[in-house]
Structures are given as structure tokens and as C-alpha cells.
Amino acid sequence: MPKASKMKFYAVAVGRDAPNIYTTWDECSAKVSRYPKAMHQSFKTREEAERWLESKADVTALYSPENLRTIARGTQSSPIPVDSDDGLQRDARALGIEPSPPEQKVVLSPEQSRVFAEVKEGGNVFFTGSAGTGKSVLLREIIKFKTGRHSPNVIAITASTGIAAINIGGVTLHSWAGIKLGEEPVDRFVKKVRYQKSLESLRKRWQQVKALIIDELSMIDGSLFDYLEEIARELRGDSRPFGGIQLVLCGDFCQLPPVPGRDKKGREVPAKFAFEARSWDSCIGTPMMLKKVFRQRDQTFANMLNEMRYGKMQESTIRIFKSLERNVTYSDGIEPTEMYPTRREVANANTWRLGRLPGEPRIYEAQDHKGVDHKGEQISHERMLDILDKLVAPKTLELKVGAQVMLIKNLRQGILVNGSIGQVVDFATPKEAVESGTKIAQVESDKLHSRNGTSNINLVTQEILKYDWKWPVIKFTNGETLVVTPVDFTVNNGDGETLMARRLQLPLILAWALSVHKSQGQTLERVRVDLRRTFEMGQAYVALSRATNMEHLQVLNFSKEKVMADPKVLAWYGENVSTPEQEFDTDDDELSAFDEYR
Ligand SMILES: Nc1ncnc2c1ncn2[C@@H]1O[C@H](COP(=O)(O)OP(=O)(O)OP(=O)(O)O)[C@@H](O)[C@H]1O
């Protein structure tokens, strides 16, 4: 019998016969090995193990048939289980579900590889480039590399906004840094984190972190950058810039700017860009520029967008943009997505379009689950709703046959990605899908979210196959037709390890209209933009640069003034990076790397 002091308690939250506690690793391992998305942890005492299991109770119940049924409830009849496991496996094959379909491999271009090498060397890096130059693709590769080599708690994966953070499996910079609104003076914040027992994990986070990754840097305020830089030096007792943390920053200052602050009287305080921070020069050397545009293969269009980005448009460019006012029609009935500056306009436009379609809507109600906060305490219901409200996946999704939708997850099959547009053509049970030869959409595993490299796909699909619930059948613009079933969307705590909240919902949103904010980082095949609406600085560029080609882009009310870039940004790029002309100096190697990928 092992000595009490050495005894360990293995809690299994997700696994065979879970939840349960075991006292040997062999027993635990038998329950979790090869179990999809198994979740387990060892503890010194049984009490700790039990507490941990309690904290996980909500999130582990996520895949229960009851949850899936509630999502599908809408206007559906009660579920009818299919007969046997054999039938299940046969159906899975017919629906195109492979146990682990291959993930797409990315071949980095030479300039992306140069940035990657610099990060690998341990240097502080800010890489930038116009829309569609593969910044997000590169950042994902960097994250895979970093988290593969170091334990996740020493790599901070963050972004300026919730949506951007979720795209890279991270958290917002504010949340990671534990600074709430960031209004407390540095010395007071540092003192608190140093001496308050309840903030021990935050202190460790700051002290142990080796690399800080920030995506969509353009929306980070320069004062916030300085604030965090000082905190890092103080809390780590290291006088080097940012307390010696390796910085990996990414973004395009010509896209969305930081949100202006408010002073005590509620007056707007103009925001500073990150490059205007006092500490910027000491932290970041020469920015690394990605020049090869992947999103637009048509060089003329890529050049026009770049002129727009720099606010230096030739007459011929303006003429061509104005000529895009014409109507574009598509034979498959799927319309271009119209970009709006505000969420309210988007909601109005989508609701109006859905209302005009005949037939009863089917309602898919998300199943939300509370996780724990950074202290390990369960969060409140209100907090959960507040957090999940920032997700792209809606709480309630109303669909009808004919509704235009956008996929908001990448598919493992690699044929369709986050941003792919389609139309609801039917609602079908898995059985009906098998009979009609329609495959089920399999989303990419949430490796970035779960960090433990396991796949979450089988649990959901296995449950779904057992019951005759109806799910939407979507015909996408590339001609592919798939049944789309629920997947989970997770929000992690600042430590990047514990789950704060999670939502089970279909990876779809209505997509006749989309906000510029939500479209940031996305590639869209058919786009319509009416510039008469109030587009703030950077928004028009973000909106237009989502399009892959001019044939599928309609621009209404184009005028030079509407698309002007911020003069401070232009001056900074002029001094620090390169001229627009130099940006198109791509070499053949880069093109062949791209072709190889295709
Ligand atoms: N090395 C590569 N090979 C092939 N395609 C690539 C590569 N890098 C990026 N792409 C493709 O280019 C498109 C744009 O990439 P990505 O979204 O990463 O650009 P971005 O610079 O982050 O754009 P934005 O600033 O608009 O968010 C995507 O369709 C992506 O798959």
C-alpha cells in the first residue's frame, strides 16, 4: 500500500464510467486512453479531486443526449433511437465521418518562414502586412509550435477583442493580464497582485510566462501597451523591456483602430496606436512585413486594395472601384453578404430577410454551460451569458429553408472554411441524410482550444447519429451540400487552461448581412458594401478586402473620402516598413510555395 503522503487521486471528468476518482494511474489510464476529449487530473487529496469534478460537472454534461435534444427542439418530434451500434457505424461511414480525417497542412511562404524562424530564435517580433497576407495562418502555426514545446501556461495566447481571441484559441489581452478595465495605477495593481493571496495564480501567470502573443494589435491602445509593459517589469523584477517576456505581435494598423476611451466626465479621449506607446521602440525592432497577398489572386485587385489601404489611389483605381456599383447575380440563388458597420443594422437586415421567407422557422437554442473563474469558483449565470454573448455563435438561431448562412468553423474535410456561405435547402435527420447520400459536416478539432490535442468530434456526432432529430442541410457556394450539426464553442480563463464558459450550437449564423467587426480576419466569396453608411476609419478597407475577387464584389457609393486611412498610420508605415510599391516585390519562390499548397 502506498504511503498516504505519496498517494494520488486521479479524477476523471470525461472518460469511460466518468465522473469517477481512482487511486492508481493504471486504473485512470484505462478509463481515458483513446477516449475522445478525455479530461482528467491528479490531486494530492480526495477532497481536491472531488472539488475539481464538481467544478467540471456542468461542462462535462455538455454532450448529453438531453442537451443535443434541447438544441434541436425547435419544431421537432421526439427522438427515435436507431437500433444498434452496427447501424451507428454504418451510418457514420455513410455520412462521411472518418475517425480522424486528415487536417490540412500549411506550407509557409518564404517570408512567413522568415518570421517563424525569428520567433523560434526567441526574438521579439511584430509582423504586419495588408489584409490577406496570411498573418492569421502564420500566427496559428506559431501557436502550434510554441504550445507544442512549452507547457501552455507559459505561452499567453491573446488578442485585442473576444472574437479575435476565440479565432486563435486564446483569451483577450485584458483577461490574460487580469487588469479588469486597466484603470488602476500600476503601483497599486502591482502591490495587489504581489501580496493578495487570492491573486496568487495571476502573480504566477505574470512571473512564469515566457511568450506573449497578441493578435489584431491594431486595436490595442498605446497607453495599454505601456501600462502592461511597466507591470511586466515590476511583477517579474526584470528591468528588460516587458520584463523579458518574448513578444509575438501581429496585426495591420490600416484595419480597425483602438476604441477611443472616455475620461471621468464621459468625454471621448482619442486612442493611441500601439506604435505610439512610449515603450514600443525598446520592445520591438524593425517590423516584419508580409507582402504576398494570398486572399486576392488577381494582382490588379490586390494592388487596388493596397492603394486604398495607403490612401493613395490613382484615378484609374477610383474609376474601377466606381464601376463595381453594378448588380452581380448568381445562378445558385446565394446572394452576396452585405457588410454593415454596426451589429444593430446587421440584426435588422437579417431578421427582415428571414421574415420574408415562407414557411415556419426552426429554432436552434444553444446549450450554455458555466465553467469556473480564475480562482476555480463557478461563474454566475449572468457572467456566463455576458461572456458567451461575445461569441459569434448565437444563443438562438432561427432558420428556414432558403435562409442564407455562414459557416463559423473550419471543416476538417478542408473543403469549406470559417466564412463559407451557403443556403439552407432542407432539414434532415441523420437517417434521411444517409438515404439521400448527404454527408455530415465535421469541424476542425478544437486543438487550439483544448490544448491537449484531443478531438471533440466523435462524442457529438455519435450522439447525433443515435437520434432522429432534424438538422439543417446546407448547400454551399462551392456546390457541396452537407448536414450541419452542433459543435462546442469554448471560452477559456486568462490562464488559458480552465474553461470559463462554453456553448453548444450549430456553427452557423445568418449571412445576408454581416458586421465589419465580425468579418475581420475572414475571407468572403461574395461581398456587397454600401459606403453611404457610416464607416469609421479602417472599416471600409476591412470590408472591401474580405472579397477574393472583383467579379464577386459590389461596391455602392464609392468615394475617395470614404476610404481614407489614418494619417498617423500612413506616416508610421512610411517610416518603418516600406512603400506600397515595394510591397508587390514578391518573388517566384513565394508563388511556387503557394501553388504547392493549392
Ligand atoms: N502559406 C499560405 N499558403 C496558401 N494560402 C495561404 C497561406 N497563408 C495564408 N493563406 C490563405 O490566404 C487567405 C488569407 O489568410 P489570412 O486570413 O491568414 O490573412 P490575414 O493576413 O490574417 O488577413 P486579415 O488581415 O484580413 O485578417 C486565407 O484563405 C488563407 O488560407
Side-chain angles (χ1 to χ4, degrees):
M1 170 130 175
K3 279 187 196 159
S5 59
K6 291 262 177 77
M7 193 144 174
K8 272 194 175 175
F9 293 86
Y10 299 89
V12 178
V14 179
R16 299 173 192 92
D17 306 321
N20 226 325
I21 298 174
Y22 302 94
T23 49
T24 65
W25 167 243
D26 285 350
E27 283 173 290
C28 172
S29 155
K31 302 295 177 189
V32 296
S33 113
R34 304 173 71 87
Y35 193 91
K37 208 164 188 200
M39 203 190 276
H40 61 92
Q41 201 162 308
S42 70
F43 297 90
K44 288 200 183 112
T45 65
R46 182 175 286 278
E47 291 68 39
E48 281 175 316
E50 279 170 0
R51 263 206 308 279
W52 182 78
L53 278 182
E54 270 166 35
S55 77
K56 296 279 177 256
D58 259 352
V59 290
T60 55
L62 188 73
Y63 296 113
S64 69
E66 289 70 34
N67 275 339
L68 293 168
R69 180 172 47 234
T70 319
I71 298 176
R73 195 172 43 200
T75 48
Q76 315 206 12
S77 57
S78 43
I80 311 155
V82 296
D83 358 301
S84 65
D85 271 7
D86 275 3
L88 209 76
Q89 279 174 19
R90 205 178 42 242
D91 284 357
R93 274 195 304 276
L95 284 164
I97 300 169
E98 300 167 44
S100 51
E103 303 246 350
Q104 258 202 330
K105 205 170 156 3
V106 176
V107 179
L108 295 180
S109 67
E111 57 180 13
Q112 285 172 324
S113 301
R114 276 196 286 277
V115 176
F116 191 90
E118 189 72 25
V119 173
K120 230 167 143 179
E121 289 280 294
N124 283 358
V125 174
F126 166 56
F127 61 95
T128 182
S130 56
T133 46
K135 298 183 293 298
S136 306
V137 166
L138 172 58
L139 196 63
R140 279 169 175 273
E141 291 304 302
I142 290 174
I143 292 170
K144 264 193 228 161
F145 168 77
K146 284 280 186 193
T147 50
R149 280 178 59 115
H150 299 283
S151 84
N153 57 338
V154 299
I155 308 298
I157 304 172
T158 77
S160 49
T161 67
I163 290 176
I166 283 163
N167 279 340
I168 54 166
V171 296
T172 62
L173 181 60
H174 275 83
S175 159
W176 178 84
I179 53 169
K180 303 253 161 60
L181 293 174
E183 286 168 347
E184 205 167 15
V186 172
D187 52 350
R188 209 184 310 157
F189 177 81
V190 168
K191 207 164 150 194
K192 207 173 74 180
V193 178
R194 249 191 215 139
Y195 301 113
Q196 274 185 23
K197 180 101 185 72
S198 61
L199 295 178
E200 195 182 334
S201 69
L202 181 60
R203 178 167 69 248
K204 282 197 183 143
R205 190 187 304 166
W206 271 103
Q207 288 172 345
Q208 293 172 355
V209 69
K210 287 190 190 311
L212 172 60
I213 293 169
I214 313 178
D215 195 10
E216 299 296 359
L217 188 78
S218 67
M219 294 182 77
I220 294 290
D221 192 285
S223 315
L224 173 67
F225 190 87
D226 280 331
Y227 183 68
L228 296 175
E229 196 275 332
E230 200 178 336
I231 290 174
R233 273 186 287 116
E234 293 293 326
L235 278 178
R236 296 163 68 87
D238 184 331
S239 60
R240 288 176 295 167
F242 245 99
I245 303 172
Q246 183 189 12
L247 297 174
V248 180
L249 315 178
C250 159
D252 173 15
F253 290 118
C254 293
Q255 297 188 36
L256 304 184
V259 179
R262 301 248 161 219
D263 66 13
K264 288 197 176 105
K265 289 190 175 148
R267 287 173 305 212
E268 199 172 286
V269 181
K272 280 202 284 189
F273 287 97
F275 62 76
E276 294 179 279
R278 265 180 291 110
S279 57
W280 177 263
D281 288 341
S282 65
C283 293
I284 299 291
T286 312
M288 297 186 80
M289 187 79 181
L290 298 181
K291 298 171 189 169
K292 159 122 194 72
V293 177
F294 287 99
R295 186 173 291 134
Q296 293 86 21
R297 298 201 84 187
D298 169 2
Q299 199 58 55
T300 312
F301 185 35
N303 289 353
M304 284 166 58
L305 286 172
N306 223 42
E307 284 182 26
M308 175 177 166
R309 174 171 189 265
Y310 282 103
K312 275 190 185 167
M313 278 189 292
Q314 299 176 37
E315 279 311 312
S316 58
T317 301
I318 297 171
R319 242 192 342 268
I320 303 178
F321 270 127
K322 285 192 167 168
S323 73
L324 300 181
E325 177 114 21
R326 85 280 181 237
N327 251 327
V328 188
T329 50
Y330 302 90
S331 57
D332 59 10
I334 303 174
E335 296 174 36
T337 295
E338 179 138 13
M339 311 285 289
Y340 288 84
T342 67
R343 254 166 90 145
R344 194 175 37 80
E345 287 169 290
V346 171
N348 289 346
N350 281 328
T351 313
W352 186 74
R353 292 299 304 267
L354 191 73
R356 281 181 51 201
L357 287 177
E360 278 297 299
R362 273 183 186 276
I363 296 165
Y364 293 92
E365 196 66 38
Q367 284 300 290
D368 294 343
H369 293 266
K370 294 186 274 253
V372 292
D373 63 16
H374 68 279
K375 292 185 206 152
E377 283 164 20
Q378 194 169 73
I379 62 167
S380 67
H381 187 72
E382 290 66 39
R383 179 106 191 271
M384 173 192 76
L385 289 180
D386 192 42
I387 295 163
L388 294 177
D389 190 41
K390 297 195 179 76
L391 287 177
V392 187
K395 174 83 184 133
T396 307
L397 179 67
E398 214 174 308
L399 297 177
K400 281 182 185 175
V401 169
Q404 183 150 316
V405 289
M406 178 193 279
L407 192 64
I408 51 172
K409 287 262 186 185
N410 292 334
L411 293 193
R412 284 174 73 99
Q413 289 107 324
I415 35 173
L416 292 158
V417 292
N418 182 354
S420 295
I421 301 284
Q423 198 176 40
V424 179
V425 290
D426 198 2
F427 293 93
T429 64
K431 210 164 147 209
E432 288 163 347
V434 171
E435 280 160 15
S436 65
T438 314
K439 292 187 173 170
I440 200 160
Q442 285 188 81
V443 298
E444 244 176 26
S445 69
D446 262 0
K447 268 192 192 150
L448 289 172
H449 295 285
S450 67
R451 302 272 193 90
N452 59 7
T454 53
S455 153
N456 63 1
I457 194 160
N458 291 329
L459 273 173
V460 184
T461 42
Q462 274 168 22
E463 282 309 325
I464 283 161
L465 288 180
K466 285 191 204 157
Y467 300 100
D468 269 359
W469 297 316
K470 293 224 184 229
W471 305 108
V473 181
I474 314 295
K475 181 165 196 248
F476 289 94
T477 48
N478 69 351
E480 195 80 33
T481 302
L482 296 170
V483 181
V484 177
T485 57
V487 297
D488 66 327
F489 295 84
T490 53
V491 182
N492 290 337
N493 267 303
D495 60 14
E497 291 212 289
T498 44
L499 263 174
M500 193 146 59
R502 111 195 272 181
R503 167 167 287 176
L504 189 61
Q505 179 58 293
L506 294 171
L508 296 172
I509 55 172
L510 289 177
W512 285 289
L514 186 69
S515 72
V516 176
H517 191 71
K518 272 194 184 162
S519 80
Q520 203 180 12
Q522 253 157 356
T523 301
L524 298 174
E525 299 236 318
R526 303 172 184 184
V527 182
R528 185 190 296 132
V529 186
D530 184 350
L531 288 172
R532 205 175 29 195
R533 301 180 203 288
T534 325
F535 284 86
E536 306 290 342
M537 209 68 97
Q539 283 191 329
Y541 173 62
V542 173
L544 267 65
S545 60
R546 299 308 97 198
T548 50
N549 59 59
M550 282 191 278
E551 290 71 43
H552 294 168
L553 171 67
Q554 187 184 9
V555 186
L556 305 171
N557 300 299
F558 186 88
S559 85
K560 204 163 126 187
E561 294 69 36
K562 281 281 182 181
V563 295
M564 288 311 284
D566 191 307
K568 278 194 292 193
V569 170
L570 297 181
W572 184 81
Y573 271 106
E575 278 168 31
N576 287 278
V577 191
S578 56
T579 63
E581 290 73 31
Q582 283 169 302
E583 285 196 20
F584 292 103
D585 186 19
T586 50
D587 55 39
D588 287 348
D589 285 353
E590 285 164 352
L591 292 170
S592 60
F594 177 51
D595 285 342
E596 196 183 323
Y597 176 84
R598 306 289 287 194

